[in-house]
Amino acid sequence: MFFVMGFGNKDELLKEVSFRCTNCINEKFELYQMSNVFSFFFIPIFRFNKKFLIVCKNCKSIYRLKNESLEKVLETSNVTYDDVEEIIRNNNVCKNCGHRVDETDKFCPNCGNKL
Ligand SMILES: [Zn+2]
Ligand SMILES: [Zn+2]
């Protein structure tokens, strides 16, 4: 007999929220709960390092919420700059149309604008 133990990442989509993206013109975001799960026989036993992230639906920029802001955000579905702890990822977007572009792109794949 042997035991199976492990650590895993688990993401849960909590709800849609609104926040003015610092990177593009979008205001529609998704709020995720991410936690590292310690599992035993594939049963999550306890969670630690709980983090709440909001992800821009357009450019996929990621911001981390302050834990103390969570209750308010769940209630109002509204995130302000004061609720953001840090910017985790800021993706590049086209200045012309707001479409997401890669750092290596020379032209926007959506509108052809020179970057
Ligand atoms: Zn965005
Ligand atoms: Zn564009």
Side-chain angles (χ1 to χ4, degrees), residues 10-17 28-35 47 51-57 60 70 74:
K10 200 160 172 281
D11 314 340
E12 276 173 55
L13 175 61
L14 296 181
K15 70 185 300 187
E16 297 200 353
V17 295
K28 287 197 166 58
F29 277 74
E30 285 177 336
L31 172 64
Y32 285 91
Q33 174 185 309
M34 301 192 61
S35 41
R47 294 172 168 200
K51 276 186 211 159
F52 297 96
L53 305 177
I54 56 168
V55 182
C56 176
K57 286 179 113 177
K60 308 288 184 224
L70 182 77
L74 285 175

Side-chain angles (χ1 to χ4, degrees), residues 21 23-24 26 56 58-59:
C21 187
N23 209 34
C24 71
N26 179 48
C56 176
N58 179 51
C59 69

Side-chain angles (χ1 to χ4, degrees), residues 7-112:
F7 291 92
N9 280 312
K10 200 160 172 281
D11 314 340
E12 276 173 55
L13 175 61
L14 296 181
K15 70 185 300 187
E16 297 200 353
V17 295
S18 62
F19 176 66
R20 201 174 310 140
C21 187
T22 58
N23 209 34
C24 71
I25 52 172
N26 179 48
E27 293 192 8
K28 287 197 166 58
F29 277 74
E30 285 177 336
L31 172 64
Y32 285 91
Q33 174 185 309
M34 301 192 61
S35 41
N36 296 315
V37 178
F38 179 74
S39 63
F40 184 71
F41 276 107
F42 307 107
I43 301 160
I45 295 175
F46 68 87
R47 294 172 168 200
F48 54 96
N49 289 343
K50 211 177 262 186
K51 276 186 211 159
F52 297 96
L53 305 177
I54 56 168
V55 182
C56 176
K57 286 179 113 177
N58 179 51
C59 69
K60 308 288 184 224
S61 288
I62 302 169
Y63 305 81
R64 184 154 72 88
L65 281 190
K66 291 174 181 163
N67 281 2
E68 64 263 29
S69 292
L70 182 77
E71 227 170 279
K72 193 213 86 181
V73 168
L74 285 175
E75 210 169 280
T76 62
S77 300
N78 213 342
V79 181
T80 66
Y81 293 121
D82 287 340
D83 301 323
V84 173
E85 180 82 45
E86 63 172 333
I87 297 171
I88 292 183
R89 198 166 77 187
N90 223 338
N91 282 319
N92 293 334
V93 290
C94 171
K95 296 257 182 314
N96 187 45
C97 71
H99 193 270
R100 193 187 154 186
V101 292
D102 287 324
E103 261 169 62
T104 52
D105 284 345
K106 293 205 165 49
F107 297 92
C108 172
N110 188 47
C111 70

